[in-house]
Amino acid sequence: MSRPYLARTFHADEALIAWAFADKLSGIHHVGSISVPGRAATPEISAPIEAREHGNTPTQDEVLMGSGYVRGNDLTMNHLLYRRNH
């Protein structure tokens, strides 16, 4: 089942993610099945976040968790994974 509303939700969340990471943000990546328009998708947003430094992680986690994201395993030292189920 295609879930275009999840792509819209991710794009709306980009501003929140950018605010939470501020000047430490290098990039926000939208991956997984919902990142491909028209493709059958799982009800999950996966958002790897690339950060130059992430020393304020508890605050960043709190902001994103307040919007329904959970923190996954870091992909690398500067690539953090957050996901949001719907």
Side-chain angles (χ1 to χ4, degrees):
M1 168 191 308
S2 179
R3 293 174 165 63
Y5 69 92
L6 289 176
R8 290 190 300 272
T9 300
F10 170 78
H11 292 298
D13 289 348
E14 283 181 299
L16 173 72
I17 294 167
W19 177 81
F21 282 84
D23 62 343
K24 295 178 175 123
L25 182 69
S26 294
I28 305 167
H29 307 281
H30 186 201
V31 300
S33 57
I34 67 165
S35 65
V36 180
R39 182 175 177 182
T42 60
E44 178 180 278
I45 295 171
S46 297
I49 297 168
E50 188 175 351
R52 286 182 274 286
E53 299 174 29
H54 52 90
N56 195 17
T57 302
T59 301
Q60 294 157 347
D61 284 349
E62 186 177 310
V63 169
L64 274 89
M65 290 170 71
S67 291
Y69 282 88
V70 294
R71 178 126 179 227
N73 294 327
D74 293 348
L75 303 173
T76 68
M77 186 171 72
N78 293 324
H79 290 84
L80 316 175
L81 178 65
Y82 290 86
R83 62 184 189 283
R84 181 176 174 181
N85 292 318
H86 284 266

